[in-house]
């Protein structure tokens, strides 16, 4: 169980983040604070989940002084915002549009010492880097990407079917198609390939 402290200038947003954290079984909500009054925050969690406000660049260095890894939720997680965030010590920078599962994955990743952002932001930050791997001959469909991200979380076919409101047989069909397109024969291989290709956000 990872203890999460949420922060925002807005009490409404703080309440929303609290509800989100409480809805995820692997996370434990331990408190909320106003980021404009960060010096008075007494509760320290394993991870800080912060909504990035208008003056976030001034607040990030203070947040990172709290000795807990920080994940910030941004309106647009592009390199112009991500780069200064990472330089200041923020460990995760993801979009407000991230799903609860993606936010859960980001919290777990930074808690394990990893740095998290979106593939698009990473590509902008490292424009001269070589691709992780050759592009797929046949790209994954939007639904296959959804299934793949759930596979990366270790969720069973039955639970994937429930989350996506499709049959378990349809999930198996998507998984077989994913294996074929990635040239893999197991979940572990598929997830590994997906990470290398930037198809799955860590």
């Amino acid at each position: 169980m990872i203890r999460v402290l949420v922060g925002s200038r807005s009490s409404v947003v703080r309440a929303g983040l609290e509800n989100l954290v409480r809805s995820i079984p692997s996370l434990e909500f331990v408190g909320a604070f106003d980021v404009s009054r960060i010096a008075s925050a007494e509760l320290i969690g394993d991870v800080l989940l912060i909504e990035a406000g208008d003056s976030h660049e001034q607040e990030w260095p203070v947040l990172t002084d709290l000795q807990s890894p920080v994940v910030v939720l941004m309106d647009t997680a592009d390199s112009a915002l991500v780069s200064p965030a990472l330089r200041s010590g923020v460990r995760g920078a993801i979009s407000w549009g991230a799903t609860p599962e993606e936010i859960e994955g980001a919290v777990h990743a930074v808690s394990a010492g990893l740095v998290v952002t979106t593939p698009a932001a990473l590509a902008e930050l490292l424009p001269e880097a070589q691709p992780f791997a050759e592009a797929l001959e046949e790209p994954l469909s939007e639904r296959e990407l959804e299934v793949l991200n759930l596979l990366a979380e270790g969720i069973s076919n039955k639970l994937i079917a429930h989350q996506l409101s499709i049959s378990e047989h349809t999930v198996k069909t998507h998984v077989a198609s994913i294996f074929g397109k990635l040239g893999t024969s197991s979940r572990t291989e598929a997830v590994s390939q997906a990470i290398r290709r930037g198809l799955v956000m860590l």
Side-chain angles (χ1 to χ4, degrees):
M1 186 78 70
I2 298 176
R3 298 176 303 143
V4 179
L5 181 65
V6 302
S8 171
R9 285 176 172 267
S10 166
S11 60
V12 173
V13 173
R14 291 197 297 272
L17 291 176
E18 175 182 347
N19 289 334
L20 171 66
V21 171
R22 289 187 184 279
S23 73
I24 299 174
S26 66
L27 306 181
E28 177 186 0
F29 173 78
V30 294
F33 64 93
D34 183 340
V35 295
S36 66
R37 301 177 180 177
I38 184 64
S40 66
E42 297 179 355
L43 292 173
I44 302 299
D46 298 320
V47 174
L48 307 184
L49 181 61
I50 309 298
E51 179 251 348
D54 293 337
S55 60
H56 48 264
E57 289 190 43
Q58 289 74 40
E59 292 162 352
W60 286 334
V62 179
L63 292 172
T64 55
D65 284 343
L66 294 178
Q67 306 304 311
S68 294
V70 177
V71 176
V72 293
L73 297 170
M74 303 177 168
D75 289 335
T76 303
D78 59 27
S79 60
L81 294 177
V82 171
S83 182
L86 297 181
R87 284 199 302 269
S88 72
V90 167
R91 301 301 297 272
I94 59 179
S95 169
W96 255 114
T99 65
E101 291 78 14
E102 289 171 335
I103 292 173
E104 179 184 17
V107 169
H108 278 269
V110 300
S111 178
L114 301 176
V115 175
V116 179
T117 188
T118 62
L122 182 62
E124 292 183 32
L125 288 169
L126 304 172
E128 299 178 359
Q130 294 298 316
F132 292 110
E134 294 180 4
L136 293 176
E137 292 185 7
E138 185 179 357
L140 300 181
S141 67
E142 183 175 346
R143 178 64 85 183
E144 287 169 347
L145 285 171
E146 290 178 328
V147 172
L148 179 59
N149 274 278
L150 293 175
L151 287 178
E153 295 174 24
I155 298 177
S156 68
N157 287 353
K158 184 175 182 179
L159 288 178
I160 292 175
H162 177 72
Q163 287 202 29
L164 299 181
S165 299
I166 58 179
S167 70
E168 191 171 349
H169 175 75
T170 300
V171 172
K172 291 179 180 179
T173 299
H174 286 315
V175 171
S177 178
I178 291 169
F179 285 0
K181 291 179 179 180
L182 293 178
T184 58
S185 58
S186 70
R187 283 174 167 240
T188 300
E189 289 180 5
V191 171
S192 177
Q193 280 284 346
I195 292 172
R196 290 176 56 204
R197 294 175 182 274
L199 298 173
V200 170
M201 185 185 72
L202 289 177

